[in-house]
Amino acid sequence: MKLALVTYEAIHSYGSLSGSEDGVLIDYLTSKGIDITLEDWHDPAVNWEQYDLAVFKSPWDYFDKFPAFCAWLDRMEALGIRTLNPISTIRWNADKHYLLEVEKAGLPIVPTALLKRGTAVQLEQYFTHFQTDKLIIKPCVSGGAKNTFIVSRDEVEGVTPKLEELLRAEDFLAQPFMPQIQEEGEWSFLFFNGQYSHCLLKSAKDGDFRVQHFFGGTIHPQEAPAYLLEQAQTLVNQFADGCLYARVDGIVVGEELQLMELELIEPFLYLHTHPEALENYYQALVQMMEEVPSSVS
């Protein structure tokens, strides 16, 4: 079988592929006998029909080129190329409206309200509704904390023009600022083919709320607390069926894991933080490859 590992154009802009998570993964899978090639989803020269399976790994610019990305998904579907994760899941997960579906299903999320495109900005109601003095505002289609910012009550007047401009183009979400982010950190649980692999706790730098490493965040490998792992597994079982990988990001409020993101498109998998992570990924991939008859000789 021939596999494509789906990435993006600027994969080399952050340094050599060697040593990166994508590079380490390609090397490991190749050493195990997997025929896999790194391919840019947006490159028109790629012959996708030569591949039996396309594995999403790092299409990190999809939200900047969203119409083109959606058109590419349509093309892959029309060509009949199987993907991991499935295209239907990718479409669902690309828009953070999915959080409201998770909540409707009775599973806990960080409290969330939808700010619809083209509507007037009335942030005061959300301070009252969420009983908070700070709101987090983020786009429904985004990644890497793009256009994500924090607003306090006394900043509403100054922020409103900026938010109104952003809302002309797309939907946003409003959430209460959760102090657990700064006080305790954000949990990430990694699953491969529905099976738990490893977890870590991500911490923001002092004075920030963003846990991404490029904003100064740090990661801390952890043993998964049983009660949190059970809740994360429930989310994966219900919303990540048929997925090669899933990352459950959340915070702990009382004894409850409140979902912040269910990452099913292009999450960093923190493969370097656990000695069995690469093997866990490989075994899951092999299991799922066995379900796909090779169509390319």
Side-chain angles (χ1 to χ4, degrees):
M1 289 185 65
K2 291 176 66 66
L3 278 65
L5 194 68
V6 179
T7 185
Y8 76 130
E9 182 179 14
I11 187 67
H12 295 285
S13 67
Y14 295 102
S16 171
L17 183 64
S18 176
S20 70
E21 184 168 89
D22 284 30
V24 168
L25 182 59
I26 282 275
D27 289 346
Y28 189 83
L29 295 178
T30 300
S31 76
K32 293 287 192 174
I34 303 292
D35 182 359
I36 189 165
T37 304
L38 203 67
E39 296 283 20
D40 170 17
W41 72 268
H42 198 236
D43 183 354
V46 176
N47 175 20
W48 295 102
E49 292 176 272
Q50 70 181 299
Y51 294 110
D52 299 285
L53 187 63
V55 179
F56 285 81
K57 179 59 181 72
S58 51
W60 288 338
D61 59 353
Y62 82 88
F63 48 85
D64 288 325
K65 305 171 181 176
F66 197 57
F69 184 70
C70 292
W72 176 74
L73 292 178
D74 291 343
R75 180 184 169 214
M76 294 289 281
E77 195 169 50
L79 290 172
I81 298 167
R82 184 170 182 246
T83 68
L84 292 174
N85 290 340
I87 286 176
S88 60
T89 300
I90 299 295
R91 288 196 182 102
W92 177 80
N93 194 235
D95 189 317
K96 292 182 176 63
H97 284 83
Y98 76 79
L99 286 170
L100 302 178
E101 292 187 36
V102 173
E103 182 181 43
K104 188 175 181 179
L107 298 177
I109 67 170
V110 169
T112 300
L114 176 64
L115 307 180
K116 291 186 178 181
R117 176 182 176 182
T119 58
V121 175
Q122 298 177 330
L123 292 182
E124 285 293 346
Q125 62 180 311
Y126 301 112
F127 288 103
T128 302
H129 176 69
F130 293 135
Q131 296 182 338
T132 185
D133 290 323
K134 295 179 181 178
L135 293 173
I136 302 294
I137 308 297
K138 63 180 67 172
C140 286
V141 177
S142 71
K146 178 184 176 181
N147 286 335
T148 297
F149 51 96
I150 190 168
V151 183
S152 61
R153 283 184 181 270
D154 59 5
E155 294 173 327
V156 169
E157 185 176 350
V159 165
T160 294
K162 172 186 176 181
L163 183 53
E164 286 180 338
E165 179 66 26
L166 291 169
L167 277 170
R168 291 192 182 99
E170 58 186 322
D171 292 349
F172 274 69
L173 298 178
Q175 298 173 325
F177 173 75
M178 306 298 286
Q180 291 85 355
I181 289 286
Q182 290 182 330
E183 296 169 359
E184 301 165 20
E186 177 185 312
W187 287 87
S188 284
F189 298 85
L190 281 299
F191 296 81
F192 300 131
N193 196 14
Q195 301 298 309
Y196 168 70
S197 174
H198 55 288
C199 88
L200 51 134
L201 193 61
K202 297 178 288 188
S203 301
K205 72 176 182 180
D206 289 345
D208 208 330
F209 66 96
R210 298 165 298 186
V211 297
Q212 291 89 349
H213 67 278
F214 42 84
F215 292 120
T218 55
I219 60 171
H220 311 275
Q222 302 285 317
E223 291 293 327
Y227 76 103
L228 296 181
L229 178 55
E230 181 180 0
Q231 295 177 62
Q233 184 76 64
T234 297
L235 282 158
V236 170
N237 292 348
Q238 190 156 345
F239 291 101
D241 184 49
C243 289
L244 171 61
Y245 55 83
R247 196 182 84 198
V248 178
D249 292 347
I251 58 170
V252 179
V253 180
E255 296 292 303
E256 186 175 75
L257 180 67
Q258 292 189 356
L259 181 68
M260 297 189 70
E261 300 268 1
L262 180 58
E263 298 273 11
L264 304 176
I265 301 178
E266 35 66 78
F268 196 77
L269 300 172
Y270 300 101
L271 297 173
H272 67 290
T273 67
H274 190 278
E276 299 300 321
L278 280 164
E279 181 66 16
N280 292 343
Y281 184 104
Y282 165 70
Q283 291 293 341
L285 179 59
V286 169
Q287 291 165 11
M288 303 189 86
M289 284 172 60
E290 291 173 351
E291 302 171 8
V292 190
S294 178
S295 60
V296 179
S297 59

